[in-house]
Amino acid sequence: MGSTTRRSWMKTLGTAAAAFGMSRSVEAEINGYHTLATEDNRLGPVTPRDTVYQILTDRFYDGDTSNNDFEDFDSSLYDGSGEDLKLYQGGDWQGIIDKIPYLEEMGVTAVWISAPYDNRESKIEDYQDDGTVDVWTSYHGYHARNYFRTHRFFGGMQDFYAMRDALHNNGIKLVIDFVSNHTSRWRNPTKNNEPEEGELYEPDTDADGNYVFDENGDAVGENLLADPHDDVNGWFHGLGDRDGDSSKFGYRHKELGSLADFAHENGGVVDHLERATQFWKSKGIDGIRHDATLHMNPAFAKNLKTATDSSQGGPITHFGEFFISRPDPKYEEYRTFPDRTGINNLDFEFNRAATNAFGDFSETMSDFGDMLIKTHGDYTHEHQTITAVDNHDLTRFRYIQPNDKPYHAAIAALMTCRGTPKIYYGTEQYMNPGSSGANAGRLFMQTDSDFDTSTTAYQLISDLAQLRRDNLALAYGQTSILHSTDDVIVYERTFYDHVVVTAINRQPDQSESVPSVGTSLPDGSYGDYLSGDLYGQGISVDSGALDSFTLGGGEVSVWTASPDLGNAPKIGTTVSTMGQAGDSVHIYGSGLDGDVSVTFGGTPANVVSNSATRMTATVPDGPAGLVDVVVEKNGQTSNAAKYDILTDEPVQVIFHVEAETEPGETIHVVGDPPELGSWDALSGSESFMNPDYPEWFLPVSVPKDTTFEFKFVKIDESDNVTWESGSNRTFTSPTDSTETEDTPLYYWQS
């Protein structure tokens, strides 16, 4: 496994793959049970033209009552009335199928569902100070038990296929939640850390070591794979709850709510989780939402994403839950996580600003506009962030803002701002738990609403989802703040000649005058795109400026220009934004049809297919690093999009060094491959962790089977760099991408 200098908290890593026979390929495991997904039988990744709808499967609609209870299940853990939100309510995949017309009419083009695989089913008991006991269940899907078996309360594999096909046949993409940070709670913190569950299981294997599935695609058998209570192969960190430890080490290596925390530095863990994501990708999904990315090893996350996208079927959408926003000392980690891993963020910075500006009015509309401008500079791929006003871990927005006018204004902003908008199930029905807290917001929609398609919120989402598909300014455009005050904002989105201007007054009963401001809208008269549904008005543009106007209380006006963009190629975004030579890349925009060519950093790439709005190319075998992607057609050249080409298939190396530092200094590794900054100290690794100071360590994603040179550096808070002296160090990375390798414990060269 490499160096024996690892501390006890790292345990024994890197040997479990051999112990459990995990060298087999994903294709071999699943081939013959269901057709492998290709680019032809999935809708493709989620793009900024989409509107995502988040469904907690158990809390949406009960379409099949036969999977609400089982002979070997404690019936007291099923409720079904929507009264006890700690228990199962009965929502399932058939329920999603039943409500597809509702989703389609709302303009939803992608759904994000709960984790589809087997979860802990036993009750969770929380002992209270007054002697009572709260009983919970894992209805939410975040307590992984077996990644290759379906969550039976949602349905079997044939039910999953039926839901996938029904969604796809109605133009709706499918994103699954995936939890690779932990299994389930393995100790009860409310009962003296008494042992609970946390075990991970796998199906039976055949003579060749492949998992066994029956004729319906359901896993056969159940076998213990890893146990945090007897962790002989080091699959878990086992360090206890993070509690108040705010260090990077605490977040990544200690436990979140006593959930058994995977050791992502273990080759067996890496192999199993990569095979699990590829297994579900093969079922025809269009994307993965990664849970708890704030708590994950980024080198592992990057390699997991890369392995998933490089497997058969091409790239899918990846976004994750890096659950912080400003002000937070981890904002820089949050901001750069997509650049470092290729996994985009759920935009909690947008959520914070929107909640404060439209919810409790603790920030101004000018503050909201400032957030849009700041994040434009902070985010490399701002259009691929997933924006929202609420979700399953936050208080429902309706509880924060019970007044319809600012509530609708917040939805209008969500649907017209940069990013890819996500609607939390029931937001369009004004679902309000009457209290704060995450679980309170996980209402059972079947008993809490009548799926009314006539609500203003539902119609607003439907209208603006259509505009997002029709006007590329909303999907790919730049943002300009034309005017803002405490209560009013006027912002413009532009993508070449496509323009959308949105004017919002959050105050429900106060009017405010807006002066004439410059705009990219051509001169002329414009009606309100929302037809006055939010009290909007028409506007005139003269000499490149909006006429002065008054926004009434709660008014939202949307003015648009959507002329033909012509035949010249224009890039809006790419999926993926990171990969290796031979990977597929989808390029989205306008004018991409006809006789086109594409280059990555000046190196020509093969064009696999193309249409006016989308082309697929293959990453060429050229120089690695962050490059410009450019499309050419008929002598016309597009704008450039950024793409990070990896040197080779990535593998995880854990660097170790002993070094004394001054307060404010951090340790980094810099080397010759682009993954180590190409000798640019400020572009090398992130800062190391030091739970056993003066020893420092960091897992880093580097190209596999490569001998590279490197050095350690110290960087202070002003980005001053101190290089260690002496000759360059060398190390050779493992040959298998799921292996992990420790360096020796190096000593700083003074």
Side-chain angles (χ1 to χ4, degrees):
M1 167 164 153
S3 169
T4 59
T5 61
R6 301 295 294 279
R7 290 296 178 258
S8 60
W9 45 263
M10 283 301 225
K11 301 195 173 181
T12 305
L13 307 180
T15 59
F20 289 101
M22 296 187 182
S23 61
R24 52 195 182 273
S25 70
V26 173
E27 288 78 6
E29 290 172 14
I30 58 184
N31 199 12
Y33 298 107
H34 198 265
T35 304
L36 285 171
T38 68
E39 295 177 8
D40 294 330
N41 62 16
R42 62 161 53 92
L43 290 183
V46 175
T47 79
R49 295 182 72 183
D50 286 312
T51 297
V52 182
Y53 189 80
Q54 181 193 358
I55 294 173
L56 282 187
T57 305
D58 179 68
R59 300 303 163 90
F60 189 57
Y61 193 76
D62 187 358
D64 181 1
T65 58
S66 69
N67 57 31
N68 291 345
D69 199 0
F70 300 91
E71 287 186 5
D72 59 346
F73 178 69
D74 181 352
S75 297
S76 68
L77 301 181
Y78 169 74
D79 173 36
S81 68
E83 294 297 320
D84 191 340
L85 295 176
K86 301 186 299 298
L87 306 182
Y88 282 96
Q89 300 302 325
D92 49 36
W93 295 327
Q94 183 59 49
I96 295 174
I97 294 173
D98 292 347
K99 293 302 178 183
I100 285 177
Y102 174 85
L103 299 173
E104 186 180 24
E105 187 177 337
M106 190 171 25
V108 170
T109 52
V111 296
W112 152 21
I113 66 168
S114 302
Y117 46 74
D118 182 37
N119 261 245
R120 171 179 176 167
E121 292 182 3
S122 62
K123 64 182 177 181
I124 302 168
E125 295 181 315
D126 282 350
Y127 290 78
Q128 307 301 305
D129 292 339
D130 62 3
T132 60
V133 180
D134 283 344
V135 175
W136 301 76
T137 61
S138 301
Y139 65 85
H140 41 63
Y142 292 116
H143 293 170
R145 190 174 181 276
N146 186 330
Y147 289 106
F148 296 87
R149 179 188 298 277
T150 64
H151 194 316
R152 61 177 178 169
F153 288 87
F154 301 160
M157 191 59 77
Q158 290 297 320
D159 300 304
F160 183 84
Y161 295 153
M163 175 189 61
R164 174 206 63 195
D165 292 344
L167 289 168
H168 284 177
N169 290 340
N170 287 278
I172 301 175
K173 301 169 185 177
L174 175 59
V175 177
I176 65 167
D177 226 320
F178 195 88
V179 184
S180 57
N181 181 68
H182 53 259
T183 57
S184 59
R185 198 169 80 175
W186 72 297
R187 295 188 298 193
N188 189 336
T190 72
K191 195 179 180 183
N192 300 316
N193 285 321
E194 180 179 288
E196 283 193 5
E197 293 202 11
E199 297 89 351
L200 183 67
Y201 293 85
E202 64 176 348
D204 290 346
T205 55
D206 62 19
D208 296 321
N210 300 321
Y211 288 149
V212 178
F213 303 89
D214 64 21
E215 64 277 6
N216 292 317
D218 293 315
V220 175
E222 182 171 84
N223 304 278
L224 181 64
L225 177 60
D227 184 353
H229 306 285
D230 185 23
D231 192 15
V232 294
N233 290 296
W235 276 47
F236 302 94
H237 285 133
L239 298 178
D241 277 352
R242 181 176 64 83
D243 294 325
D245 187 347
S246 61
S247 69
K248 184 188 298 184
F249 176 80
Y251 270 84
R252 295 183 186 175
H253 289 262
K254 295 184 180 180
E255 291 158 10
L256 176 65
S258 298
L259 299 165
D261 193 64
F262 279 129
H264 292 138
E265 306 77 22
N266 182 317
V269 173
V270 172
D271 185 83
H272 189 74
L273 293 173
E274 285 189 6
R275 290 187 302 111
T277 56
Q278 291 174 55
F279 173 82
W280 284 100
K281 177 186 174 184
S282 77
K283 303 305 179 186
I285 63 171
D286 303 290
I288 291 175
R289 179 268 190 184
H290 297 266
D291 183 60
T293 51
L294 168 61
H295 303 276
M296 283 164 50
N297 165 353
F300 160 80
K302 173 181 177 179
N303 295 3
L304 178 77
K305 178 266 173 197
T306 303
T308 304
D309 282 358
S310 296
S311 66
Q312 185 171 352
I316 60 176
T317 287
H318 296 265
F319 58 91
E321 182 199 24
F322 206 106
F323 202 157
I324 66 105
S325 60
R326 291 184 298 154
D328 192 290
K330 288 184 169 49
Y331 178 78
E332 187 66 12
E333 283 187 58
Y334 158 85
R335 181 187 72 80
T336 61
F337 187 82
D339 298 330
R340 291 182 286 124
T341 66
I343 299 173
N344 290 290
N345 282 334
L346 283 163
D347 197 344
F348 285 101
E349 177 66 357
F350 179 96
N351 172 265
R352 174 201 61 78
T355 299
N356 292 346
F358 294 98
D360 59 17
F361 286 24
S362 60
E363 293 188 48
T364 68
M365 296 302 286
S366 291
D367 292 332
F368 180 75
D370 290 344
M371 177 276 301
L372 294 174
I373 299 304
K374 175 175 175 53
T375 52
H376 169 72
D378 284 350
Y379 299 172
T380 303
H381 304 285
E382 63 178 333
H383 304 309
Q384 294 189 27
T385 64
I386 305 297
T387 54
V389 295
D390 53 5
N391 71 16
H392 60 298
D393 287 325
L394 299 169
T395 303
R396 276 198 175 263
F397 187 68
R398 186 58 170 180
Y399 175 71
I400 299 171
Q401 181 49 267
N403 189 299
D404 280 355
K405 288 183 177 180
Y407 186 86
H408 292 148
I411 294 175
L414 170 66
M415 296 297 296
T416 56
C417 281
R418 65 51 184 167
T420 305
K422 188 271 299 178
I423 304 297
Y424 185 40
Y425 79 100
T427 295
E428 74 283 3
Q429 297 296 329
Y430 311 96
M431 283 169 56
N432 184 356
S435 62
S436 62
N439 198 66
R442 300 174 180 182
L443 299 166
F444 188 23
M445 191 162 171
Q446 182 169 335
T447 59
D448 203 77
S449 80
D450 56 3
F451 293 86
D452 184 1
T453 61
S454 66
T455 70
T456 299
Y458 181 98
Q459 293 296 327
L460 176 64
I461 295 166
S462 177
D463 289 343
L464 292 176
Q466 184 64 53
L467 181 60
R468 181 165 281 269
R469 293 193 294 272
D470 293 342
N471 190 303
L472 298 186
L474 291 190
Y476 311 131
Q478 300 296 305
T479 300
S480 300
I481 307 301
L482 305 185
H483 174 77
S484 67
T485 65
D486 286 356
D487 295 317
V488 163
I489 190 168
V490 182
Y491 56 89
E492 179 176 87
R493 306 286 313 286
T494 56
F495 182 75
Y496 294 90
D497 291 335
H498 277 201
V499 184
V500 176
V501 175
T502 304
I504 298 174
N505 178 6
R506 71 176 182 180
Q507 283 289 352
D509 302 311
Q510 298 176 22
S511 297
E512 186 170 322
S513 297
V514 178
S516 177
V517 291
T519 179
S520 298
L521 288 170
D523 287 359
S525 297
Y526 296 86
D528 172 32
Y529 180 83
L530 299 176
S531 302
D533 288 347
L534 298 186
Y535 318 103
Q537 60 188 291
I539 195 73
S540 293
V541 177
D542 297 304
S543 302
L546 296 170
D547 288 348
S548 60
F549 60 98
T550 298
L551 280 172
E555 179 180 335
V556 177
S557 292
V558 178
W559 306 301
T560 74
S562 307
D564 189 300
L565 291 177
N567 293 320
K570 303 170 181 65
I571 298 178
T573 195
T574 69
V575 179
S576 167
T577 60
M578 174 188 291
Q580 56 196 325
D583 282 356
S584 294
V585 181
H586 302 304
I587 302 170
Y588 298 90
S590 174
L592 303 178
D593 52 345
D595 186 12
V596 297
S597 62
V598 60
T599 56
F600 285 68
T603 302
N606 179 51
V607 176
V608 178
S609 63
N610 64 308
S611 66
T613 58
R614 166 178 163 172
M615 64 185 297
T616 300
T618 304
V619 178
D621 188 6
L626 190 64
V627 302
D628 286 339
V629 178
V630 176
V631 176
E632 295 187 11
K633 183 174 72 171
N634 300 329
Q636 297 176 301
T637 301
S638 74
N639 56 314
K642 295 295 183 182
Y643 189 87
D644 193 356
I645 300 180
L646 305 178
T647 304
D648 200 344
E649 192 173 3
V651 68
Q652 195 177 161
V653 169
I654 302 94
F655 289 81
H656 300 265
V657 63
E658 182 175 303
E660 300 280 351
T661 56
E662 297 296 328
E665 284 185 327
T666 51
I667 298 293
H668 305 252
V669 62
V670 188
D672 52 1
E675 289 81 355
L676 293 181
S678 300
W679 293 114
D680 178 354
L682 297 181
S683 299
S685 76
E686 63 172 324
S687 61
F688 279 41
M689 294 172 279
N690 62 341
D692 295 311
Y693 180 84
E695 292 186 26
W696 302 72
F697 84 98
L698 184 71
V700 181
S701 176
V702 298
K704 73 173 185 179
D705 196 19
T706 301
T707 298
F708 54 87
E709 296 186 349
F710 68 96
K711 274 191 170 182
F712 298 106
V713 299
K714 299 176 183 178
I715 302 178
D716 69 15
E717 293 172 313
S718 299
D719 285 343
N720 297 309
V721 178
T722 302
W723 290 80
E724 65 172 342
S725 63
S727 302
N728 294 341
R729 305 181 188 273
T730 62
F731 192 81
T732 301
S733 59
T735 58
D736 190 312
S737 64
T738 60
E739 290 183 67
T740 61
E741 185 77 21
D742 288 88
T743 71
L745 176 61
Y746 296 108
Y747 294 88
W748 178 267
Q749 299 175 144
S750 301

